[in-house]
Amino acid sequence: MEKKWWKESVVYQIYPRSFKDSNGDGIGDINGITEKMGYLQELGVDVIWLSPVYQSPNDDNGYDISDYQAIMEEFGTMEDFDRMLAAAHEHGLKLVMDLVVNHTSDEHPWFVESRKSVDNPYRDYYIWRPGKDGKEPNNWGSCFSGPAWKYDPQTEMYYLHLFSEKQPDLNWDNPKVRQEVFDMMNWWLDKGVDGFRMDVISLISKKPDLPDGPVGINGYASFNEPANGPHVHEYLQEMREKVLNRKETITVGECSGVTLEEAKKYASSDGKELNMVFQFEHMDVDADANTKWTDKKMDLRDMKEVLTRWQKGLEDIAWNSLFWENHDQPRSISRYGNDSPEYREVSAKMLATCLHMMQGTPYVYQGEELGMTNVPFTSIDQFRDLDSINAYRELVEEQKVFTSEEMMRYLRYKSRDNARTPFQWDDSENAGFSTGTPWIMVNPNYKEINAKDQLEREDSVFHYYQKLIRLRKEQEVIVYGTYDLLLPDSKEIYTYTRTLGEEKLLVVCNFYEPEVSFEMPEEFIGGTCLISNYPEVSLKAEMTLRPYEAFVIKK
Ligand code: NOJ
């Protein structure tokens, strides 16, 4: 297999609004990130992925961009950005920008022009259609509730927005749109950034006839209907030629609705498109058939089936990205582990072991390395995320699909705001995030869970992540070894091997609290333990795994 630096790297995602506020306005900012480069270096990560920092009216916290070449005022200035980029490089860290080009803000000058008249030169930058029988052009729903179409009285037509009304979809079939995007990307590369995470890039190419899709619980088809459209690979290959080939970059496509077969094209090792994709099948194992709004727990066998299919499916053909968390997902220990004071650290370490030992590039989302948990929200007024607020309005108030109590339970379990509360730096007021009033509540458990405590404590989740990241640099088999699942039918244990030539690792994780017996494969008896989440492990033929126990053995 071809060796690449981005296969050997660990990426850390920063959600700037919630990372560190340097000027006391309650909102995280770029100078706050610059201050914390030393922290990231100590953790040992190689690459920072920065959620959007561009000028934006903030309908969707920066994923609605009104100027791709300006910095959001709340976050600082372009000079601040340049200083942050230089600081990252001085600390040996690469910086990846979030490229949000499936849509712009409705306040972007292109859209301001586009909506003016049908013959405006920017009209065809977006997707406009006449209504059908006085209604929307098709049955697609927005990711954030309601229809994916908005009627615009100025020209008496509808525009497409797979996300909020303030995020109109760009028309990628227009070569001028593609050239504008490529020019902008080149401008950032010339500035010195090291790559791009591409927001919902799987949705950019729509079938020309925009066909209806099957409807979900709110009566609309999924926003994912256009996924993997007819020209998406062609457009990404064009991007590779006109932009990405100019420089050594790291690229990851956020590919909602991607299948394994499609991923082989997006992330093919022939290097024609992207380095890797984010797939979401392992984020759907605890969803209901047609909605994520439930508090159902996953069946571990489903998780193993999905992750193993991706591990084996991309082997030698493409490259996986590995993640439990990001700014769109709840906290992983509250979801797939146990966030009680007794078990949160051990279960956080177990989840980290399970993920970081797989083949692929691992992504750590800010606070995950501390074992930050979901948030005990008590009222809908505490939420800031439009996805959560709109879903509550639609499913509780308008359509009465759920009672308010049910929906609050689901939001506490699944809302994106669980991952968006301020980073917990220390046990001082506002968790050391800001001297002002934070834009969203601080998780009240910051006195127990914070970076200051964990940096001082050798057995902390932070130091466990640090060790996992270091191991990846020391043991080639973690990066390049092949993956093979053992015990596929176990409901409690996730165990697999990694093999590279003569080298072989065994990874063992008990996903639950009850003790469970485990028979050690013979070849690993007498092996060396590389890492474990309990202070002592005695390796025997017949073992009893303790609550959330995890370890890695080298033959
Ligand atoms: C995916 C992003 O990760 C999410 O936060 C955002 O709301 C949508 N794309 C729309 O840009």
Side-chain angles (χ1 to χ4, degrees):
M1 183 186 303
E2 211 185 339
K3 294 192 176 161
K4 293 278 185 196
W5 63 270
W6 43 264
K7 294 183 178 172
E8 296 167 13
S9 296
V10 176
V11 184
Y12 187 90
Q13 183 191 352
I14 293 183
Y15 195 67
R17 206 173 186 77
S18 304
F19 192 58
K20 178 72 178 115
D21 172 18
S22 73
N23 64 357
D25 65 356
I27 296 171
D29 49 42
I30 287 177
N31 289 338
I33 298 171
T34 309
E35 248 176 64
K36 296 296 182 184
M37 288 297 170
Y39 171 82
L40 300 178
Q41 192 177 30
E42 184 165 355
L43 181 58
V45 295
D46 308 277
V47 179
I48 299 170
W49 148 27
L50 202 60
S51 274
V53 293
Y54 316 91
Q55 186 177 297
S56 162
N58 274 314
D59 189 49
D60 185 19
N61 289 356
Y63 282 89
D64 48 319
I65 296 167
S66 53
D67 185 343
Y68 290 99
Q69 279 152 261
I71 299 293
M72 190 189 301
E73 260 167 54
E74 291 168 329
F75 287 176
T77 62
M78 195 55 87
E79 288 68 44
D80 295 336
F81 179 91
D82 292 340
R83 265 197 304 276
M84 173 184 65
L85 180 60
H89 288 161
E90 279 158 25
H91 285 80
L93 296 159
K94 297 195 188 301
L95 189 84
V96 160
M97 299 296 280
D98 212 315
L99 183 79
V100 188
V101 288
N102 172 70
H103 43 269
T104 67
S105 162
D106 65 340
E107 297 181 33
H108 193 290
W110 300 338
F111 191 75
V112 172
E113 285 301 312
S114 185
R115 78 193 320 174
K116 280 184 182 161
S117 66
V118 293
D119 49 15
N120 187 283
Y122 288 91
R123 183 66 171 182
D124 202 31
Y125 270 46
Y126 295 86
I127 300 174
W128 292 95
R129 291 286 188 281
K132 231 189 209 166
D133 310 323
K135 292 209 304 246
E136 289 84 16
N138 72 12
N139 71 354
W140 295 357
S142 146
C143 179
F144 302 141
S145 304
W149 296 94
K150 170 87 177 162
Y151 180 73
D152 202 47
Q154 178 77 20
T155 53
E156 301 181 328
M157 279 170 87
Y158 290 81
Y159 65 85
L160 179 69
H161 60 88
L162 295 177
F163 295 89
S164 92
E165 283 175 23
K166 289 186 64 62
Q167 292 167 298
D169 279 54
L170 281 165
N171 174 17
W172 272 70
D173 294 331
N174 180 347
K176 285 193 208 142
V177 167
R178 302 203 294 279
Q179 199 52 53
E180 299 259 23
V181 171
F182 301 155
D183 290 346
M184 175 271 284
M185 292 173 76
N186 277 322
W187 185 86
W188 282 101
L189 284 185
D190 290 342
K191 210 179 220 322
V193 308
D194 302 288
F196 300 97
R197 173 267 185 189
M198 303 183 188
D199 193 69
V200 289
I201 204 71
S202 50
L203 304 184
I204 57 173
S205 166
K206 281 86 178 171
K207 286 192 189 136
D209 55 340
L210 307 175
D212 281 346
V215 298
I217 54 165
N218 67 351
Y220 297 104
S222 161
F223 73 99
N224 264 334
E225 271 305 305
N228 316 310
H231 302 290
V232 66
H233 297 292
E234 190 187 310
Y235 296 158
L236 288 175
Q237 286 166 24
E238 187 182 349
M239 180 192 285
R240 169 61 60 188
E241 279 157 27
K242 295 194 171 153
V243 183
L244 302 173
N245 276 347
R246 292 182 51 238
K247 205 179 145 175
E248 182 63 32
T249 51
I250 172 170
T251 50
V252 51
E254 189 207 23
C255 290
S256 51
V258 70
T259 58
L260 186 59
E261 287 317 303
E262 283 295 322
K264 291 178 188 169
K265 301 182 206 158
Y266 288 112
S268 166
S269 46
D270 66 10
K272 285 201 181 126
E273 298 181 23
L274 308 176
N275 297 148
M276 55 194 133
V277 300
F278 289 128
Q279 61 85 19
F280 292 94
E281 281 189 56
H282 66 306
M283 295 285 114
D284 291 337
V285 291
D286 59 354
D288 272 336
N290 52 13
T291 179
K292 73 169 177 181
W293 298 116
T294 161
D295 56 1
K296 188 183 102 180
K297 284 283 187 182
M298 68 147 170
D299 180 326
L300 181 63
R301 290 167 300 183
D302 297 336
M303 179 62 89
K304 294 196 287 191
E305 186 279 317
V306 168
L307 290 176
T308 302
R309 189 155 38 76
W310 281 84
Q311 288 284 303
K312 295 310 283 180
L314 298 191
E315 200 174 283
D316 296 328
I317 299 177
W319 193 248
N320 271 291
S321 40
L322 308 171
F323 72 97
W324 286 135
E325 293 188 13
N326 61 41
H327 64 294
D328 294 329
Q329 301 294 335
R331 292 293 185 176
S332 56
I333 354 177
S334 304
R335 186 179 190 184
Y336 299 139
N338 182 332
D339 63 9
S340 70
E342 190 178 0
Y343 290 123
R344 70 181 164 225
E345 292 219 340
V346 77
S347 75
K349 293 172 186 172
M350 181 278 291
L351 287 169
T353 313
C354 183
L355 193 81
H356 281 242
M357 289 297 132
M358 289 187 195
Q359 192 184 72
T361 299
Y363 287 72
V364 180
Y365 176 70
Q366 65 181 47
E368 182 184 336
E369 78 282 14
L370 306 177
M372 278 179 63
T373 66
N374 274 0
V375 183
F377 293 111
T378 50
S379 137
I380 188 68
D381 310 329
Q382 293 166 328
F383 290 88
R384 298 289 174 270
D385 167 30
L386 84 169
D387 178 38
S388 306
I389 296 168
N390 291 359
Y392 184 91
R393 197 184 53 227
E394 179 171 69
L395 299 173
V396 176
E397 291 170 358
E398 289 165 19
Q399 301 187 352
K400 305 199 183 345
V401 177
F402 301 128
T403 65
S404 166
E405 291 69 35
E406 280 167 336
M407 192 64 192
M408 281 301 296
R409 236 175 39 234
Y410 303 157
L411 288 168
R412 268 195 297 274
Y413 190 52
K414 286 279 183 67
S415 166
R416 309 196 294 182
D417 276 344
N418 284 298
R420 297 179 177 188
T421 57
F423 189 95
Q424 294 165 205
W425 289 105
D426 58 37
D427 60 2
S428 68
E429 209 185 345
N430 298 327
F433 161 71
S434 172
T435 53
T437 307
W439 68 278
I440 185 171
M441 72 183 265
V442 177
N443 193 322
N445 65 17
Y446 70 92
K447 291 212 158 79
E448 293 83 53
I449 303 176
N450 62 69
K452 178 166 177 282
D453 166 64
Q454 299 214 5
L455 286 166
E456 286 164 3
R457 209 157 39 78
E458 250 333 288
D459 65 348
S460 63
V461 180
F462 178 91
H463 283 116
Y464 195 88
Y465 268 83
Q466 191 185 49
K467 185 161 180 195
L468 283 172
I469 295 166
R470 198 170 56 230
L471 276 175
R472 169 168 289 269
K473 313 279 174 216
E474 295 166 0
Q475 305 279 343
E476 249 200 339
V477 57
I478 299 177
V479 181
Y480 295 108
T482 51
Y483 162 105
D484 288 288
L485 182 71
L486 307 176
L487 306 183
D489 299 325
S490 166
K491 288 191 218 137
E492 302 90 9
I493 304 172
Y494 196 151
T495 176
Y496 58 90
T497 57
R498 300 290 309 282
T499 312
L500 185 69
E502 291 299 298
E503 290 186 31
K504 200 159 179 185
L505 299 183
L506 175 72
V507 182
V508 181
C509 300
N510 175 9
F511 261 72
Y512 299 96
E513 186 181 331
E515 295 192 338
V516 55
S517 51
F518 174 69
E519 208 175 307
M520 177 74 78
E522 231 182 83
E523 56 180 332
F524 290 99
I525 301 173
T528 321
C529 181
L530 295 184
I531 190 166
S532 84
N533 64 352
Y534 276 82
E536 299 285 331
V537 215
S538 65
L539 303 174
K540 294 181 295 213
E542 300 293 332
M543 294 187 65
T544 302
L545 302 180
R546 290 163 282 186
Y548 304 100
E549 179 158 11
F551 51 80
V552 181
I553 312 293
K554 188 165 187 191
K555 194 173 84 169

